[in-house]
Amino acid sequence: MKLYCLSGHPTLPCNVLKFKSTTIMLDCGLDMTSTLNFLPLPLVQSPRLSNLPGWSLKDGNAFLDKELKECSGHVFVDSVPEFCLPETELIDLSTVDVILISNYHCMMALPYITEHTGFTGTVYATEPTVQIGRLLMEELVNFIERVPKAQSASLWKNKDIQRLLPSPLKDAVEVSTWRRCYTMQEVNSALSKIQLVGYSQKIELFGAVQVTPLSSGYALGSSNWIIQSHYEKVSYVSGSSLLTTHPQPMDQASLKNSDVLVLTGLTQIPTANPDGMVGEFCSNLALTVRNGGNVLVPCYPSGVIYDLLECLYQYIDSAGLSNIPFYFISPVANSSLEFSQIFAEWLCHNKQTKVYLPEPPFPHAELIQTNKLKHYPSLHGDFSSDFRQPCVVFTGHPSLRFGDVVHFMELWGKSSLNTVIFTEPDFSYLEALAPYQPLAMKCIYCPIDTRLNFIQVSKLLKEVQPLHVVCPEQYTQPPPAQSHRMDLMIDCQPPAMSYRRAEVLALPFKRRYEKIEIMPELADSLVPMEIKPGISLATVSAVLHTKDNKHVLQPPPRPIQPAGGKKRKRASDDIPDCKVLKPLLSGSIPVEQFVQALEKHGFSDIKVEDTAKGHIVLLQEAETLIQIEEDSTHIICDNDEMLRVRLRDLVLKFLQKF
Amino acid sequence: IPPSRPGAGQDVGRSCILVSIGGKNVMLDCGMHMGFNDDRRFPDFSYITRNGRLTDFLDCVIISHFHLDHCGALPYFSEMVGYDGPIYMTHPTQAICPILLEDYRKIAVDKKGEANFFTSQMIKDCMKKVVAVHLHQTVQVDDELEIKAYYAGHVLGAAMFQIKVGSESVVYTGDYNMTPDRHLGAAWIDKCRPNLLITESTYATTIRDSKRCRERDFLKKVHEAVERGGKVLIPVFALGRAQELCILLETFWERMNLKAPIYFSTGLTEKANHYYKLFITWTNQKIRKTFVQRNMFEFKHIKAFDRAFADNPGPMVVFATPGMLHAGQSLQIFRKWAGNEKNMVIMPGYCVQGTVGHKILSGQRKLEMEGRQVLEVKMQVEYMSFSAHADAKGIMQLVGQAEPENVLLVHGEAKKMEFLKQKIEQEFRVNCYMPANGETVTLPTSPSIPVGISLGLLKREMAQGLLPDAKKPRLLHGTLIMKDSNFRLVSSEQALKELGLAEHQLRFTCRVHLHDPRKEQETALRVYSHLKSVLKDHCVQHLPDGSVTVESILIQAAAHSEDPGTKVLLVSWTYQDEELGSYLTSLLKKGLPQAAS
């Protein structure tokens, strides 16, 4: 059993598990932090961005000045942003049988894998994962495609040139494999390969392995996966949460008794408490708006935004913000808000009960009805006429490299009245802001990451007791910025096995058993013997049938009686098939009782001699010698089959057969 | 598996089936009969167990969908008879079921003043025992019993259930629909090969004409009635058919630009539409795809009905509950409008015997109402089969999908079921049963026994199984170790080792006297070439020390102590090679062929 690790990003994993005869890809995360190295894509021509100076080497060589621009001491690639794909060379991806998706953030690389590697298998995901994942992809494609950029820089990727560049460009990994965004056509084709599954659904793969999604509590439809055969169990934990937010709570009990637990997708901000962050978010928002400033919240179109809107719903009246307009701008804003209301079955208990009333589970329906929250596909069109300031704008993309957020950064960046509040934890806010420096607007960092922290992990591991834990290397040491915090790492016994990008791990367990079915007719013919108290044995001779990886034992066929006499006998007919195995024997023979038995069966003139290891029984009349030792019996006689068989049966009476 | 059945016999009314499978008892549905107003309304639960509590006897209760003939007796069963175990149903069923129960309770108790009926609190307490299930989720009721829901169409949240204990399984369909309609998808089940498929058979003989024709027919009739200024009453159940017909009329009104008002009887139905909006994932593909742009359950032309509207002049279309005209608003409106031949009533579904709906459909035109009043029905009475049950074709289709070993028909009329039974037996060659109320059907099953086989043994066997000699079935030998309930099949060697037992070797050595004056070595060589020629399939070897082996059997030649013209062959083998050993001795006893020299 092997684990191939294709992604180095701990929260956007992509691993391939080879288990029994199946090849299973676990998640398909796309590392988008690569886009931070690019200049933002402005929706409206931005003189500031287009007038940035080109970058030149220390020696003044400026041959890269078309591709690289400098802004406040940082260097950016002036090109269509590109993403860092999972490793495609480590394993032949056309051999992948299935892809299991754990949540909508972890499927963003799907089109690259399903459309360009010869993949012919099936993808499994829950319905909310697919629907919201589709929205995320749609938004991404839309953001990139609506601002066509002529330039595609590639010179800087040359290994010899990359060495000369300043950090972080110099240290960027695998730049040659970075790819531009996929198209909507590729998205649709990729999503058509998905088969919908429900929590606790048992899905058979080729009769060899069973996979089951379990609620992970992190997002709508987010799941952990159990991959098991009848005797082995691997748990794949990815993006789980124990906090009470909108999704169904995490199913921990089903993770018990795992041989291996693969642990990914822990919180990216282990030191921040999500509840505290939400409070800070609200108070900063209120402060800015009261002072007449605007608030910009760069965010994904689904996920935490539902919780933020719910908090604001409760907060705005008490904070006197009822007249402040809230705008949600995304090509998929409407869909996201609508979809959130129809997944009652995937929501936490409180929200489910609301649906039973029937009321919409999320209060943003009411915000929309009362016109407090308005949503627009983009800042063009209706938005420009409705736009009132001061206001609060939720829009993407959280990397600040593309999407409507770029425009608002340019628009509001110059005034210190305005505030940008970062809530998404996926991107370093300092790096995200770098191409906008110098900035006058306030920047507040309130990352809300509800995924497991290390305290919760150690509790979880104590609870479910896996034999082995496998995790990304980042989790086996404290974060580089807080190297003294020994509590910010996974602590378990035996120590977790760690992996890094492009590594292959041999998972530490051996398969010993396989399930086989005994047909009822055969079962009836078995004769169990109790060998020790509570333990019975039965010898089985049966025909093995294997089909679709399922094994069945059927009763042996009855020997066909040769039709009497008609058939000409050949010498070879008599040769016994040595493959008819006899059972093994066990036990020992008590000499005295054996001699008594011999006498009872008409043998006389029996002599017993003691030897070093046992006894020799002599039947003088029959010129036969029987050596009896603890673990063996040797009958030496003349060629008298009748006699031999009689003696054999007597011996067998004292022994047990297996 | 003996499913016995206190409820649904060969009469559509109340569904309630008891299945015993692998030592587990599961009750499927808990319906009531709408045609009765007395004790016969509820199933006779004394069938289940005569003494002892239901909770101890039943492992779980499963409700397939929210129609009262499938869940109406639930509060009576759980609160009045007494059952505290789990009740499983889907989320939409859980949401809608209590509302329908409460609605029904109000009609029965408040309007008719019935006593000995369940109360609102009982409905609430009953619903607390409900566990909601997802589609395709495998719910582990206990260590052995698991259930799984499949999409059934029919109404919002309707599900078919697979009940499984070990390798035995039963599928119960509830009511289902194999053709997608305007708002729901078609039922689907995988090839789960249950031992028994229990299927409804409401439309056992009907093969309904194409959906489109029926829709056109319906629209034409409504249109005609409205054109001539008549009022159209469509008695419906609040959820299900009502939404389909609303979508139909809504689009028709839009297309034809009609002005006559369409009303939906109050309360439940608006709420009902809301349920459809929130549970849109349970509707069909098309509605789900387009719901963001346009929610099909937000109607422009259809407005809430007020009781006073019934006397308004001019044409109108009214959807009113309940669907069988047995009580409530639909019956009130019917009474008002029945006397005018311009008006029309369209019954879009099946009506149970004893209801007003059933009476007028069977041609009765003079109805005796409460208080000896006689109501003369002059209005046009139309029947349109819109109820979403599978027809004969659909039932056959489902049987084909699931590939059961046995089929059991319920929820239908005896004659029609008989016809379908023959058809199923002919086409699929499976046994088909149709028990009466209270009758018990017992099916013998012979489950195979799953055990664990050591991988070493299995791999060894599989590797040998790959040999081309496929005609001779290979025998697998092993030892089954049974410890508590843990069954493992291992090689005999491993079994001995695990139990800490030593192998006892039993060896035989036979002396075969052979007349041969030559030297021992030469005798051995002759034996070797002889055996080599006879035993072509076996491994015969001549070892350097002068002995001969056949497989693991050792043959040594020795001189006879007294007779130099005789040699003694010592043939030695273990018990495991007995057959071959004994064959060799008898072969050698016959002597060696004379060498050509």
Side-chain angles (χ1 to χ4, degrees), chain A residues 356 512 514 542 623 634 648, chain B residues 275 455 476 509 511 578:
Chain A
Y356 288 177
R512 288 219 174 78
E514 178 70 86
E623 286 190 53
H634 193 167
R648 177 197 71 188
Chain B
Y275 279 114
L455 210 59
L476 176 144
T509 302
R511 293 185 287 264
E578 192 179 25

Side-chain angles (χ1 to χ4, degrees), chain A residues 430-452:
Chain A
L430 289 173
E431 283 181 51
L433 287 172
Y436 298 97
Q437 298 293 1
L439 268 179
M441 91 194 286
K442 275 200 290 289
C443 302
I444 307 286
Y445 185 51
C446 302
I448 297 165
D449 195 333
T450 57
R451 285 173 279 211
L452 297 176

Side-chain angles (χ1 to χ4, degrees), chain B residues 296-405:
Chain B
M296 285 289 247
F297 298 102
E298 274 162 21
F299 301 114
K300 265 191 257 167
H301 297 269
I302 302 171
K303 294 173 187 74
F305 182 73
D306 187 289
R307 198 181 297 188
F309 293 172
D311 298 323
N312 284 0
M316 65 174 85
V317 180
V318 174
F319 289 94
T321 55
M324 298 185 191
L325 281 181
H326 54 277
Q329 201 159 32
S330 62
L331 189 59
Q332 278 176 18
I333 301 173
F334 173 74
R335 280 171 152 186
K336 265 190 187 147
W337 293 356
N340 190 335
E341 61 275 1
K342 271 207 281 185
N343 295 344
M344 186 195 301
V345 59
I346 299 180
M347 306 297 297
Y350 186 89
C351 286
V352 166
Q353 236 168 18
T355 58
V356 174
H358 189 266
K359 282 177 194 158
I360 57 168
L361 279 183
S362 52
Q364 228 172 305
R365 284 295 172 265
K366 287 207 166 105
L367 298 173
E368 203 173 306
M369 307 307 280
E370 289 142 52
R372 299 224 181 123
Q373 255 182 306
V374 174
L375 182 70
E376 203 174 333
V377 183
K378 287 188 187 152
M379 76 198 292
Q380 227 178 310
V381 177
E382 295 287 345
Y383 171 69
M384 307 232 79
S385 157
F386 272 105
S387 62
H389 290 275
D391 58 5
K393 203 171 128 201
I395 295 170
M396 301 295 279
Q397 218 176 323
L398 188 85
V399 174
Q401 267 183 16
E403 292 193 358
E405 285 168 19

Side-chain angles (χ1 to χ4, degrees), chain A residues 200 231 345 356 512-514 516-518 532 536 538 540-542 583 585 623 631 633-635 637 648, chain B residues 94 138 275 282 448-449 451-453 455 476-478 480 482 488 499 502 504-505 507 509 511 576 578:
Chain A
S200 307
Y231 291 92
E345 290 157 273
Y356 288 177
R512 288 219 174 78
Y513 285 95
E514 178 70 86
I516 193 163
E517 300 227 319
I518 297 184
K532 289 179 179 175
S536 301
V540 178
S541 287
L585 302 173
E623 286 190 53
D631 288 335
T633 301
H634 193 167
I635 300 173
C637 63
R648 177 197 71 188
Chain B
Q94 192 191 354
T138 307
Y275 279 114
W282 285 79
S448 43
I449 296 150
V451 302
I453 183 169
L455 210 59
L476 176 144
H477 294 269
L480 190 63
M482 288 163 271
R488 287 175 306 132
L499 291 166
H504 189 104
Q505 206 181 55
R507 181 165 269 285
T509 302
R511 293 185 287 264
Q576 281 72 25
E578 192 179 25

Side-chain angles (χ1 to χ4, degrees), chain A residues 333-439:
Chain A
N334 185 26
S335 300
S336 166
L337 292 172
E338 289 287 340
F339 269 115
S340 67
Q341 305 286 21
I342 65 159
F343 291 124
E345 290 157 273
W346 309 87
L347 294 172
C348 63
H349 184 74
N350 271 344
K351 298 228 177 300
Q352 256 174 33
T353 356
K354 274 188 130 181
V355 175
Y356 288 177
L357 289 178
E359 272 171 27
F362 285 99
H364 53 238
E366 202 185 313
L367 287 176
I368 295 169
Q369 239 169 29
T370 54
N371 259 332
K372 284 176 183 156
L373 173 68
K374 292 185 176 182
H375 53 82
Y376 303 89
S378 98
L379 49 84
H380 296 301
D382 290 346
F383 175 71
S384 38
S385 49
D386 294 354
F387 183 45
R388 275 194 299 123
Q389 302 194 64
C391 64
V392 179
V393 170
F394 293 87
T395 189
H397 185 274
S399 66
L400 304 192
R401 291 303 178 273
F402 36 82
D404 301 279
V405 75
V406 175
H407 179 75
F408 286 101
M409 282 304 295
E410 294 286 327
L411 185 71
W412 290 343
K414 298 166 207 101
S415 162
S416 60
L417 281 179
N418 302 327
T419 307
V420 54
I421 309 182
F422 291 88
T423 55
E424 301 288 354
D426 285 358
F427 301 92
S428 141
Y429 81 107
L430 289 173
E431 283 181 51
L433 287 172
Y436 298 97
Q437 298 293 1
L439 268 179

Side-chain angles (χ1 to χ4, degrees), chain A residues 127 131 196 198-202 231 248 334-335 338-339 341-346 352 354-361 511-521 523 526 528 531-532 534-544 546 551 553 556-557 571-572 574-589 622-624 629-641 644-645 648 651-652 655-658, chain B residues 91-92 94-95 99 132-140 146 148 167 271 274-275 277-282 288 291-293 295 446-456 458-459 461-462 467 469 472-484 487-490 492-496 498-513 534-536 538 551 570 572-573 575-580 582-583 585-586 589:
Chain A
E127 182 163 7
Q131 299 295 5
L196 298 182
Y199 287 150
S200 307
Q201 180 176 347
K202 293 176 177 172
Y231 291 92
Q248 218 181 81
N334 185 26
S335 300
E338 289 287 340
F339 269 115
Q341 305 286 21
I342 65 159
F343 291 124
E345 290 157 273
W346 309 87
Q352 256 174 33
K354 274 188 130 181
V355 175
Y356 288 177
L357 289 178
E359 272 171 27
R511 300 202 302 119
R512 288 219 174 78
Y513 285 95
E514 178 70 86
K515 192 178 129 175
I516 193 163
E517 300 227 319
I518 297 184
M519 296 288 283
E521 304 84 48
L526 296 180
I531 298 292
K532 289 179 179 175
I535 303 176
S536 301
L537 294 188
T539 45
V540 178
S541 287
V543 180
L544 173 71
T546 299
H551 312 291
L553 280 184
S572 63
D574 293 338
I575 301 173
D577 186 0
C578 69
K579 283 170 188 155
V580 179
L581 277 172
K582 290 266 179 154
L584 295 182
L585 302 173
S586 177
S588 58
I589 296 172
E623 286 190 53
T624 297
E629 289 176 10
E630 178 70 28
D631 288 335
S632 68
T633 301
H634 193 167
I635 300 173
I636 303 162
C637 63
D638 266 342
N639 189 9
D640 180 348
E641 188 67 8
R644 189 186 67 81
V645 170
R648 177 197 71 188
V651 169
L652 287 181
L655 297 173
Q656 291 157 330
K657 292 180 187 178
F658 292 94
Chain B
H91 283 272
Q94 192 191 354
I99 296 170
V133 299
H134 289 250
L135 280 184
H136 300 162
Q137 174 190 9
T138 307
V139 180
Q140 215 72 43
E146 58 180 50
K148 180 177 178 183
S167 57
K271 234 179 172 180
H274 214 88
Y275 279 114
K277 280 188 233 162
L278 294 173
F279 284 110
I280 212 139
T281 50
W282 285 79
R288 273 157 54 183
F291 92 100
V292 176
Q293 289 78 44
N295 197 320
S446 46
S448 43
I449 296 150
V451 302
I453 183 169
S454 95
L455 210 59
L458 182 68
K459 281 202 171 151
E461 290 301 322
M462 301 248 288
L467 296 174
D469 189 14
K472 259 191 201 168
R474 271 192 48 80
L475 282 182
L476 176 144
H477 294 269
T479 302
L480 190 63
I481 306 179
M482 288 163 271
K483 190 177 172 185
D484 304 325
F487 287 47
R488 287 175 306 132
L489 184 62
V490 299
S492 305
E493 292 89 341
Q494 194 185 338
L496 283 177
E498 268 186 38
L499 291 166
L501 297 177
E503 188 192 339
H504 189 104
Q505 206 181 55
L506 176 57
R507 181 165 269 285
F508 304 95
T509 302
C510 272
R511 293 185 287 264
V512 181
H513 298 266
V534 177
L535 300 166
K536 291 202 173 69
H538 292 74
E551 305 287 345
L570 291 171
S572 179
W573 67 92
Y575 172 65
Q576 281 72 25
D577 292 318
E578 192 179 25
E579 246 95 287
L580 187 62
S582 111
Y583 167 76
T585 52
S586 60
K589 207 173 170 184

